[in-house]
Amino acid sequence: MLIFRQNHAARGEQRPYVAPIEEATPATAPRHRVKRNSLAGPPPTPAKAWNYSAPVLLEVERWLKQHNLSAAKFGRQAVGDPNLVSDLRGGRDPSSKVVARIRAFMAKGGDHD
């Protein structure tokens, strides 16, 4: 089933007005304004719902420190992708084949064929 969004501007029509939903609080309830201390800094940012990193990323980071190799060079030599490590740091979940190639490369000591 396809769902199409209506593009009122493209058709030259005005968008229908939808009234905002009013709060369920009674009109007699007092509304208090919370004062923030201007020296306190910005409000804290909420934590992410999940913080996942691929298990192989920890092994790669440790290996990079031990062998003094750049992340781009490691990714290019291990799997042919210079963005591999930065993508892993950003949350990429590698396939089992890619993980096997990474671990095989590290097991050889970084010798590229």
Side-chain angles (χ1 to χ4, degrees), residues 35-98:
K35 293 184 180 179
R36 278 190 52 223
N37 184 356
S38 61
L39 301 176
T45 56
K48 291 185 179 179
W50 52 272
N51 187 9
Y52 173 77
S53 62
V56 74
L57 177 61
L58 300 174
E59 299 172 34
V60 169
E61 295 284 3
R62 189 178 309 121
W63 194 89
L64 288 174
K65 284 184 182 179
Q66 291 174 352
H67 291 83
N68 197 24
L69 189 66
S70 72
K73 197 168 196 177
F74 172 84
R76 191 177 298 113
Q77 290 180 357
V79 295
D81 180 10
N83 297 322
L84 172 72
V85 178
S86 63
D87 289 348
L88 288 174
R89 290 174 181 155
R92 173 177 163 185
D93 191 18
S95 67
S96 57
K97 287 183 179 181
V98 170

Side-chain angles (χ1 to χ4, degrees), residues 6-44:
Q6 293 184 9
N7 189 350
H8 297 285
R11 295 188 344 198
E13 300 174 2
Q14 282 194 344
R15 187 174 176 167
Y17 176 75
V18 178
I21 299 173
E22 303 254 343
E23 291 185 13
T25 59
T28 58
R31 294 185 183 218
H32 298 286
R33 183 174 177 189
V34 178
K35 293 184 180 179
R36 278 190 52 223
N37 184 356
S38 61
L39 301 176

